[in-house]
Each structure stands twice: as C-alpha cells, then as structure tokens.
Amino acid sequence: MRELAGIVALLAGLWLTAAEAGFRTPESLVRNVYAYYGEGAPELSRGLPRDDATARQFFDPPLRQAWSAPRTEPYDFLVQSPSWKLGPVAIAILRKEYDKTYVAANFDNHGRPVTLNFILVNGPEGWLITDVESPHDSLRMFLEQFRN
C-alpha cells in the first residue's frame, strides 16, 4: 500500500512539474503571454516577467537563458514598444510544420497595429516558444543584440 501511495505521489509531482512548464494549446500559450500586458492587477500589468520560473513556463530551453539574462532594451519586443495600451489580441494558427506551429498575434498598441508570429514547439513540457518574429526582427536576435 505504501508503494502505491509513493507511486501516486511521484506521478502527481511529475504532472505538476509538467503543468508548470508549457501550455496545452498554442493559442493558450500566446493568450497567457498577453495576459501580462493588461490594465488589471499590478503583477499582471508589467509585461512578461524576466525571472527563471517564467522563462521555464513560456520558452524552450535555448531561449530561457536569453529571456532571463540581464540586459538593457529600448523596448519590449512582445509589444514592439517601451509602453503599452493594447487593444484586443487576435490569435490564429498560421501553419503547422513538422514539430513547429506558427501562430499569429495581431493587436493595436496605442492605436498602432502590431503583428507578431510566434514559433512554438510541443514537447513533454507542453507548448513552448522557440522564437517570435516581427516584420523586421526575431526575439532571439533582439535579445542577443541587447545582451549586457
């Protein structure tokens, strides 16, 4: 009986760890990114946090360290501006290609239209961001450029 209880506890712990990482659908991942750019509670209105826990939850391993590393950036890449007042965020799957899914996020920031394409991968941790593309740049290149 103890062995069974131990196995159940172990599986529950593994499930919670996996649930803390990625997301169940590509759309839910992108929706949760922009939940941090609202006008609600202060902890949800400062942009996507740069801590290790957030990096593990949202990004694939190669991008995690770059996301949480100290740097001085001229603007927040995920809203393409140093400040934000976002309109509704439209999310649509553009295409699925091998192990990647491309998801478009369209919104207005201070009345200016913004379109970003999220490149997502689905692994044992759930859906995670492997890169984000703007018309002029990618999140990986942006973070590398402004690395301290």
Side-chain angles (χ1 to χ4, degrees), residues 63-139:
L63 193 52
R64 288 176 188 164
Q65 184 177 0
W67 179 257
S68 55
R71 76 187 127 291
T72 307
E73 302 165 342
Y75 62 93
D76 187 319
F77 187 88
L78 297 173
V79 292
Q80 298 288 293
S81 176
S83 64
W84 54 85
K85 182 171 175 77
L86 302 185
V89 179
I91 300 167
I93 292 180
L94 297 175
R95 70 183 180 276
K96 295 180 180 183
E97 199 172 90
Y98 304 105
D99 64 337
K100 295 178 182 167
T101 297
Y102 294 77
V103 178
N106 297 291
F107 53 90
D108 287 344
N109 185 8
H110 290 290
R112 186 178 63 90
V114 176
T115 298
L116 295 173
N117 294 323
F118 285 75
I119 304 169
L120 310 178
V121 292
N122 190 11
E125 298 174 313
W127 287 96
L128 297 168
I129 299 168
T130 190
D131 207 356
V132 181
E133 298 173 334
S134 75
H136 310 289
D137 205 354
S138 79
L139 179 60

Side-chain angles (χ1 to χ4, degrees), residues 6-71:
I7 292 171
V8 169
L10 176 64
L11 291 176
L14 291 175
W15 179 79
L16 288 174
T17 302
E20 289 172 4
F23 294 88
R24 291 179 52 149
T25 67
E27 297 91 344
S28 69
L29 187 156
V30 176
R31 194 175 309 107
N32 276 280
V33 165
Y34 289 105
Y36 286 93
Y37 293 90
E39 294 182 10
E43 65 274 6
L44 296 176
S45 301
R46 294 187 180 131
L48 192 63
R50 301 298 183 132
D51 58 53
D52 290 335
T54 301
R56 262 191 320 279
Q57 184 179 14
F58 285 90
F59 299 102
D60 71 347
L63 193 52
R64 288 176 188 164
Q65 184 177 0
W67 179 257
S68 55
R71 76 187 127 291

